[in-house]
């Protein structure tokens, strides 16, 4: 095990999560902000990453050359957008480094490309990097297994800030998948993601999703198991983005010693 701080690249450094990651890494002894990346043409290129994140200068100017940063680094923390994440997955595989993917809204085709990159990179991907949500996933799987589809309906409710561009959230899908696993069914074949107009009665055994957007809400998720005369509600509230950033750094440090492959936060947290 290396005693040196892990050299981490933050891509999407000027974003909400990018800035949180820079502050979080800066406060951790075992890791350093080695480089910070934004897209070509971004007004933030050349600015000091610490200043962007409200820390004051840390001597790391934002670059638009990701490969140059990756080949000299040990890991990349990526909370950007699906198209960018696919590009970074290829570059992280080329550089044989750790790629922590927090980006949500990836398509099945995107996920295949990330899986292919994981033949060479150590990839940790999760729709939510927090300990609390991953524990909630385990609890959801257990509850869904115990409360069967004949008598209990499962709905996943989420709310996020008005800038969020994908729905349902990555976390809602993580929780839906956990419920589906508990029931021994495929989420893709049993989910109801939108309801509008004369929908007819609820199809038995389905897992429903409801999405709310507004204001500055960081992330609210509930799994409701609704039976005759009673409802069990399992929920998580995020009040600070540092929970995701701390999880991402933990994932990078964990993956530092691992073989190439595609891992989840359940692997990192020992909840699998
Ligand atoms: N898994 C988890 O625990 C969490 C996941 N997320 C996910 O992380 C993602 C980002 O969220 P958030 O920080 O709120 O979003 P932001 O829009 O605030 O930040 C995204 C950043 O990525 C940059 N970016 C996009 N494309 C590229 C590129 N090709 N090269 C370099 N930089 C690029 C954007 O730049 P520009 O503005 O120029 O496009 C922006 O600065 C979302 O998918 C979100 O759902 C968020 C929180 C937790
Ligand atoms: O976009 C966000 O902000 C968040 N995205 C993740 C998601 O899609 O679940 C995680 C967190 O809830 C915040």
């Amino acid at each position: 095990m290396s005693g040196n701080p892990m050299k981490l690249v933050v891509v999407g450094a000027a974003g909400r999560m990018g800035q949180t990651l820079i502050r979080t890494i800066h406060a951790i002894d075992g890791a350093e902000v080695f480089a910070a990346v934004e897209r070509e043409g971004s007004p933030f290129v050349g600015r000091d990453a610490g200043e962007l994140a409200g820390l004051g200068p840390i001597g790391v100017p934002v670059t638009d050359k990701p490969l140059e940063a990756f080949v000299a680094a040990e890991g990349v923390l990526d909370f950007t957008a699906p198209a960018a994440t696919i590009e970074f997955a290829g570059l992280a595989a080329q550089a044989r480094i750790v790629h922590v993917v927090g980006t949500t809204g990836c398509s099945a085709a995107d996920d295949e490309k990330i899986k292919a990159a994981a033949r060479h990179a150590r990839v940790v991907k999760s729709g939510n990097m927090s300990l609390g949500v991953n524990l909630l996933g385990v609890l959801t799987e257990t509850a869904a297994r115990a409360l069967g589809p004949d008598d209990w309906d499962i709905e996943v409710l989420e709310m996020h800030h008005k800038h969020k561009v994908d729905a349902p959230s990555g976390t809602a899908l993580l929780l839906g998948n956990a419920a589906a696993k508990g029931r021994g069914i495929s989420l893709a074949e049993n989910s109801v993601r939108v309801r509008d107009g004369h929908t007819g009665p609820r199809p038995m055994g389905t897992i429903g999703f409801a999405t709310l957007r507004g204001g500055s809400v960081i992330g609210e998720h509930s799994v409701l198991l609704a039976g005759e005369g009673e409802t069990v509600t399992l929920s998580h509230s995020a009040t600070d983005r540092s929970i995701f950033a701390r999880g991402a750094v933990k994932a990078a440090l964990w993956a530092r010693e691992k073989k190439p492959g595609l891992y989840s936060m359940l692997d990192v947290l020992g909840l699998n």
Side-chain angles (χ1 to χ4, degrees):
M1 176 172 312
S2 168
N4 298 323
M6 186 173 184
K7 294 177 181 173
L8 295 176
V9 182
V10 177
V11 290
R16 280 174 287 274
M17 276 306 298
Q19 293 181 40
T20 311
L21 286 161
I22 290 165
R23 288 193 294 273
T24 301
I25 298 166
H26 192 68
I28 290 178
D29 282 342
E32 67 171 287
V33 182
F34 178 73
V37 173
E38 267 294 339
R39 67 165 91 239
E40 204 181 327
S42 162
F44 301 106
V45 172
R47 298 257 318 266
D48 186 278
E51 284 192 334
L52 279 187
L55 290 172
I58 58 170
V60 178
V62 175
T63 173
D64 57 5
K65 306 275 182 301
L67 186 56
E68 282 177 18
F70 288 15
V71 292
E74 297 175 86
V76 52
L77 306 186
D78 178 356
F79 291 68
T80 55
T85 290
I86 297 314
E87 184 197 333
F88 295 138
L91 301 181
Q94 244 178 285
R96 304 285 199 269
I97 59 174
V98 171
H99 186 192
V100 176
V101 180
T103 306
T104 58
C106 293
S107 65
D110 294 336
D111 282 337
E112 278 306 310
K113 289 179 190 156
I114 293 168
K115 199 169 154 191
R119 289 201 294 264
H120 303 295
R122 286 147 281 156
V123 181
V124 181
K125 183 173 186 289
S126 176
N128 196 303
M129 299 281 170
S130 75
L131 172 60
V133 158
N134 283 282
L135 178 63
L136 181 65
V138 174
L139 298 174
T140 297
E141 184 184 332
T142 304
R145 187 174 293 120
L147 307 177
D150 294 350
D151 299 316
W152 295 85
D153 301 321
I154 302 180
E155 295 282 310
V156 182
L157 173 67
E158 56 114 334
M159 181 162 186
H160 283 87
H161 54 93
K162 61 186 170 193
H163 305 289
K164 187 161 177 62
V165 294
D166 56 304
S169 68
T171 309
L173 293 170
L174 178 160
L175 296 170
N177 271 308
K181 192 172 170 203
R183 288 257 168 106
I185 57 172
S186 138
L187 181 65
E189 287 164 19
N190 293 281
S191 63
V192 176
R193 292 174 54 149
V194 180
R195 294 189 183 100
D196 187 28
H198 186 85
T199 61
R202 189 182 197 286
M204 197 174 79
T206 53
I207 297 172
F209 290 86
T211 301
L212 308 178
R213 293 286 176 267
S216 59
V217 174
I218 291 178
E220 298 286 327
H221 292 90
S222 295
V223 179
L224 294 96
L225 296 108
E228 282 302 320
E230 56 181 336
T231 299
V232 177
T233 306
L234 304 171
S235 64
H236 180 268
S237 292
T239 54
D240 190 327
R241 286 189 174 84
S242 65
I243 61 171
F244 313 127
R246 287 201 305 273
V249 175
K250 190 179 184 103
L253 291 168
W254 176 88
R256 194 182 194 185
E257 312 297 337
K258 293 286 175 289
K259 294 194 178 115
L262 180 57
Y263 303 97
S264 76
M265 275 313 276
L266 293 177
D267 298 314
V268 174
L269 297 168
L271 294 171
N272 225 350

